[in-house]
Amino acid sequence: MSFTPQQTAALFSPLQLGAISLKNRIVMAPLTRSRADQLAVPASFAADYYAQRASAGLIITEATQVSYDAMGYCRTPGAHTDEQLSVWTSIADAVHDKGGKIVMQLWHVGRIASRLNTGVARDVVAPSAIQAPGKMYTDAKGMVDHDIPRALETTEIAGIANDFAQAAKNAIAAGFDGVEVHSANGYLLHQFLSSNVNQRTDQYGGSIENRVRMPLEIVEAVVEAVSKDRVGIRISPGHTFNGIEETDAEALYTHYLKRLETYGLAYLHVMRPMMGGMAFDPVTMARGVYAGKMIAASGYDGASGAALIASGGADAVAFGKAYIANPDLAERLATGAELNKPHEATFYTPGEKGYTDYSRLAA
Ligand SMILES: Cc1cc2nc3c(=O)[nH]c(=O)nc-3n(C[C@H](O)[C@H](O)[C@H](O)COP(=O)(O)O)c2cc1C
């Protein structure tokens, strides 16, 4: 598929997101690629992968753990040890050398975890001791059930906020332009928001006001650690991935967004559900409720993304699978060139194949 330059023109004006200046409105969506090692140290060739994509206005890294307890899948990177941060520093430098901007997506998987995927002893925690449905891949034993999580004690939540704050400081010290708090896709923050995964009876469960408390405390800790104009947040209202239900999604996110708005963050990143029907469109809903800068993601192509920006529906658009396959996606969208197709079989496999070897347009 390709587009005419006229159809994609709205993607090519600069944009300010807090303290971060974007040269265009094309964002590389966060994409887990599972090239790190069992101690969550990113691969050295990840610097090449990200630098190849530096013509994006902004790169959001793959989801990156704030601690070993926050890790769930195999070979996902962390931002909490010196070895990890030394590679992240080379990644940020490589992107900046090519004129790009990069923020780190910070996550905690909560109950979406198998201990088999972490190279050290660790805990699996969640709002409540309810096992996630479905199975997950491990290098050790193939597909396995998710571990049964332990419910977090009320007093432990401050420690998790502290892990996020420390990882955010680490990312900024490694040279990143900012961080994105992962509050989407059924991971720990989304588990607290949910009406079925969160069965707590303390001040973090039950009412909407209580279910947003933990995610807001995380955001607050990160803002205090690195300043609001370098912090974004990703949400996925109505996304049922990883066994999440939000029976009161519209009321929940209206309240959550109004509270988030008060922090004056660099940006809000709204992901449309990748599956399942929705009673409302989360991008339209969020734009109506939230006054700050907004990135929209999922299912956009060059023409529909530019049309959304031109109509005022979002300030920038993130592209996921198209960025896996097209390191020079921005150049291709600018010129109307054909796009490469992504190879799903190598989305999560170790090594450089299907990672740094997608073709670029001839110079
Ligand atoms: C291989 C793969 C890995 C992903 N990893 C992440 C991730 O680490 N964090 C996240 O928030 N979303 C993740 N997503 C979702 C993408 O950021 C994006 O929202 C999704 O691919 C839909 O956008 P698209 O239609 O442009 O591909 C992932 C998607 C894919 C296909």
Side-chain angles (χ1 to χ4, degrees):
M1 204 189 305
S2 66
F3 309 100
T4 64
Q6 290 77 15
Q7 280 177 305
T8 59
L11 294 168
F12 291 95
S13 60
L15 175 66
Q16 194 69 28
L17 297 180
I20 313 167
S21 307
L22 280 59
K23 61 191 168 220
N24 60 48
R25 292 163 185 251
I26 298 169
V27 176
M28 178 177 167
L31 293 159
T32 291
R33 304 302 311 277
S34 298
R35 262 72 177 179
D37 69 14
Q38 259 219 323
L39 292 177
V41 179
S44 57
F45 52 80
D48 191 21
Y49 164 76
Y50 282 114
Q52 287 175 355
R53 288 156 177 78
S55 57
L58 181 67
I59 293 172
I60 304 169
T61 69
E62 63 207 281
T64 301
Q65 292 99 228
V66 299
S67 67
Y68 283 125
D69 284 356
M71 185 173 183
Y73 297 94
C74 51
R75 292 176 268 105
T76 56
H80 53 92
T81 72
D82 290 345
E83 292 75 16
Q84 295 160 0
L85 291 161
S86 143
V87 183
W88 281 124
T89 302
S90 70
I91 291 171
D93 286 349
V95 169
H96 290 150
D97 284 350
K98 297 272 185 216
K101 296 283 161 72
I102 183 164
V103 299
M104 184 185 283
Q105 188 184 50
L106 298 178
W107 75 340
H108 189 309
V109 298
R111 67 179 190 155
I112 307 302
S114 167
R115 285 179 181 78
L116 295 173
N117 283 331
T118 310
V120 297
R122 46 80 52 101
D123 219 2
V124 175
V125 296
S128 304
I130 305 171
Q131 188 177 27
K135 297 202 181 270
M136 82 176 342
Y137 175 78
T138 63
D139 283 333
K141 293 195 173 159
M143 299 304 285
V144 299
D145 291 340
H146 296 100
D147 286 355
I148 299 171
R150 170 176 77 69
L152 282 163
E153 301 290 340
T154 305
T155 51
E156 285 181 292
I157 288 171
I160 293 193
N162 193 51
D163 290 343
F164 271 87
Q166 186 58 53
K169 281 188 200 164
N170 295 346
I172 298 298
F176 279 77
D177 297 290
V179 296
E180 175 176 291
V181 174
H182 196 341
S183 178
N185 299 351
Y187 301 110
L188 187 64
L189 277 68
H190 202 182
Q191 290 162 28
F192 270 87
L193 294 173
S194 145
S195 46
N196 65 325
V197 183
N198 180 347
Q199 293 293 328
R200 299 180 73 89
T201 52
D202 65 2
Q203 67 268 38
Y204 294 100
S207 66
I208 285 176
E209 287 74 13
N210 281 355
R211 278 151 48 208
V212 301
R213 193 181 308 278
M214 180 274 187
L216 291 174
E217 286 180 5
I218 302 292
V219 170
E220 222 167 286
V222 171
V223 163
E224 262 177 46
V226 301
S227 111
K228 62 184 184 181
D229 51 6
R230 297 199 177 274
V231 179
I233 185 162
R234 188 175 223 212
I235 59 169
S236 59
H239 195 20
T240 54
F241 191 51
N242 286 324
I244 291 284
E245 282 173 21
E246 296 162 325
T247 46
D248 46 8
E250 201 160 358
L252 168 69
Y253 281 95
T254 300
H255 179 76
Y256 190 32
L257 287 170
K258 274 292 164 208
R259 292 292 307 275
L260 285 171
E261 193 182 70
T262 64
Y263 294 104
L265 301 178
Y267 68 85
L268 168 72
H269 185 177
V270 181
M271 182 182 150
R272 302 191 295 187
M274 290 167 77
M275 57 212 211
M278 278 290 289
F280 64 96
D281 170 26
V283 169
T284 310
M285 178 265 179
R287 193 63 160 177
V289 170
Y290 183 87
K293 293 280 168 40
M294 194 177 112
I295 303 171
S298 289
Y300 294 100
D301 60 26
S304 62
L308 182 72
I309 292 170
S311 71
D315 299 292
V317 173
F319 299 92
K321 292 178 288 295
Y323 252 118
I324 292 178
N326 297 277
D328 51 357
L329 183 66
E331 289 85 344
R332 289 177 194 247
L333 294 181
T335 58
E338 283 292 323
L339 301 187
N340 295 326
K341 289 191 177 47
H343 309 297
E344 284 196 29
T346 51
F347 277 5
Y348 304 110
T349 46
E352 295 201 58
K353 190 169 173 337
Y355 190 60
T356 49
D357 57 358
Y358 283 102
S359 69
R360 306 173 66 89
L361 295 173

